[in-house]
Amino acid sequence: MQATAKVRDANGSIAITARSRAHYEIRAAKNARAKPAAKVLMDEMREQRDWSAWNAVSQTTKSFWNGMLVGFSNAGDAGSVVLWHQRNAALLDLIAAGIQVPDYVEEGIADAEAYANGETAESALVDQSLGIFEWSAAPGCAKNDVEAILQSNPSIGHGSMTIEICLADIRGMTDAGYRTEVLCQWVTSRIEPYLDATDWEKAADPALLDGDGAIVDAGSTIAADSRMVLGIDVFREKRVTRTSMVVAGYRSDGRVHLEVVAQRTGMTWVVKHAVAVRAKTGITQVALQTKGCDAADLVALLSDAGFTIVDISASTLLTAAGRMADRLREDKVRHRSQGPLNRVRPRVDVELLRRCDEHGRDAARARCEPVQHSAR
């Protein structure tokens, strides 16, 4: 506080005057319009749900040469329109400059040093008026990943914050809340999944491969004498229809095995693919919702192809969902940890990851890709 000359804390007129004669005022965003400012420090940008505050306040720095606006915030959600736009603009600038997004800190420091040493022509640089400084965990990481916690909490080791405190929050917070507040990950949907995300992650039992791609451990498999049933669901979003085909059965230890057989756009491929699965595995039963949804259009076609339809509708649909949640909680379920199955967790900013991956920048998109596996 040695640099402070005066503090005014009157109601509605809070200000700090420094010995350097710099003057700081604390204002609500809606009351900052038309007040010229050489530097604006905007806190909690994720709470800006429209552009009114940004459009007004961002113009106040133009009255000064080299004015600056600095925004501070944790990760936002689908409604954080201003923060989302500014963050994406900065990341896409990095991509356009050929910088790998996961490594932009290291490469950015190298570029800054090269520019300071006169080794880089100014014309070769991208827009220098926008910068991003972010500490966040890698998309798709486990909530108890210690490395991810350290990535998103740089104050650990420099104060009272500890890894143990962060780990203790896992059970006491919702999945979306923990990823936003602790891991600083963007969650585009605040809707909590019906199945517990932590228990779902623990139920993953994928095949393990060696360095040459050979199977070392087959992971979860259906017992040879188990009943197997195909499950089919059709999801329509805007003008795009996506159909998923899964298989369920019992393992030798009595747990339920779940696996995605195929997931593709459209519906015309379903019957032909189901017949091919039947020829390989002997599965003759198909479970699907037979009323009030797009999947109902497949009932007659599958019946004509010789399949027995297991009707999942009305109270049966609700009961099945409850039993699934119970079995997961009681450790009676295993799945193959495939991309579509792992979507039980709230979604991250998939669109931005897609753009990064198109430039070869981010392997995390592989977790969001539809996969195809042969039923066991």
Side-chain angles (χ1 to χ4, degrees):
M1 299 296 291
Q2 294 180 353
T4 303
K6 181 181 179 181
V7 176
R8 185 174 69 240
D9 57 1
N11 187 27
S13 181
I14 302 175
I16 299 173
T17 302
R19 295 187 184 278
S20 64
R21 305 191 72 177
H23 181 72
Y24 297 88
E25 294 185 9
I26 300 175
R27 289 176 172 243
K30 64 181 180 179
N31 296 327
R33 177 186 290 273
K35 181 74 172 180
K39 182 186 296 181
V40 175
L41 307 179
M42 189 175 289
D43 195 19
E44 290 294 348
M45 282 189 60
R46 66 177 179 176
E47 298 301 328
Q48 295 188 32
R49 300 317 210 194
D50 57 54
W51 287 91
S52 58
W54 176 272
N55 290 342
V57 176
S58 63
Q59 304 306 307
T60 63
T61 62
K62 292 182 177 179
S63 299
F64 295 85
W65 179 83
N66 208 24
M68 179 183 295
L69 190 158
V70 181
F72 305 92
S73 184
N74 207 327
D77 55 34
S80 306
V81 293
V82 177
L83 181 60
W84 185 92
H85 180 89
Q86 300 297 339
R87 178 177 182 268
N88 279 14
L91 294 182
L92 292 175
D93 275 353
L94 293 172
I95 294 171
I99 298 174
Q100 295 186 10
V101 172
D103 302 322
Y104 61 70
V105 173
E106 181 178 348
E107 296 192 21
I109 293 174
D111 287 346
E113 291 178 348
Y115 177 68
N117 296 331
E119 301 170 1
T120 303
E122 184 174 353
S123 60
L125 298 176
V126 296
D127 179 13
Q128 299 177 57
S129 65
L130 179 64
I132 180 171
F133 306 87
E134 178 176 320
W135 290 263
S136 59
C141 69
K143 291 190 290 186
N144 60 354
D145 187 329
V146 172
E147 182 179 351
I149 292 174
L150 291 173
Q151 289 173 342
S152 55
N153 295 273
S155 61
I156 290 179
H158 301 280
S160 59
M161 176 71 74
T162 65
I163 294 174
E164 289 74 17
I165 291 175
C166 296
L167 291 173
D169 286 333
I170 294 177
R171 283 293 183 182
M173 300 178 67
T174 63
D175 189 81
Y178 182 85
R179 291 188 178 278
T180 300
E181 302 295 341
V182 180
L183 298 181
C184 199
Q185 293 177 332
W186 277 73
V187 177
T188 58
S189 174
R190 279 290 188 171
I191 300 174
E192 285 299 308
Y194 179 70
L195 302 179
D196 184 87
T198 301
D199 290 340
W200 186 259
E201 290 175 356
K202 292 179 181 179
D205 187 12
L208 299 180
L209 308 178
D210 60 19
D212 298 325
I215 297 178
V216 178
D217 185 341
S220 183
T221 56
I222 298 175
D225 58 347
S226 171
R227 172 194 177 194
M228 293 188 290
V229 178
L230 285 179
I232 296 177
D233 185 51
V234 180
F235 173 72
R236 187 186 300 275
E237 184 175 21
K238 296 181 180 178
R239 297 183 179 181
V240 179
T241 299
R242 185 180 297 276
T243 305
S244 300
M245 182 180 297
V246 302
V247 63
Y250 288 99
R251 298 166 20 131
S252 58
D253 60 6
R255 290 184 172 92
V256 175
H257 169 98
L258 301 175
E259 179 178 351
V260 176
V261 175
Q263 185 183 80
R264 304 177 191 169
T265 56
M267 298 171 58
T268 57
W269 60 273
V270 174
V271 176
K272 182 178 180 180
H273 198 85
V275 171
V277 171
R278 181 177 60 191
K280 184 175 182 179
T281 65
I283 298 176
T284 60
Q285 294 181 309
V286 177
L288 75 168
Q289 190 173 348
T290 61
K291 300 179 181 67
C293 65
D294 293 321
D297 293 340
L298 296 170
V299 173
L301 297 174
L302 290 167
S303 296
D304 292 343
F307 286 95
T308 301
I309 303 300
V310 180
D311 184 11
I312 307 295
S313 300
S315 60
T316 303
L317 181 64
L318 300 177
T319 302
R323 288 179 178 176
M324 178 65 187
D326 291 341
R327 284 179 171 146
L328 183 63
R329 183 174 57 253
E330 296 167 5
D331 191 29
K332 295 180 179 180
V333 175
R334 290 291 182 271
H335 62 86
R336 302 287 291 178
S337 192
Q338 298 159 292
L341 289 179
N342 286 338
R343 287 182 180 178
V344 68
R345 64 166 59 98
R347 296 172 295 170
V348 297
D349 196 340
V350 177
E351 172 62 19
L352 184 59
L353 296 181
R354 181 186 66 78
R355 297 187 192 183
C356 295
D357 190 61
E358 286 177 351
H359 293 77
R361 308 306 183 198
D362 200 333
R365 181 184 177 224
R367 299 179 66 87
C368 303
E369 283 288 351
V371 296
Q372 297 183 33
H373 291 273
S374 298
R376 289 168 175 76

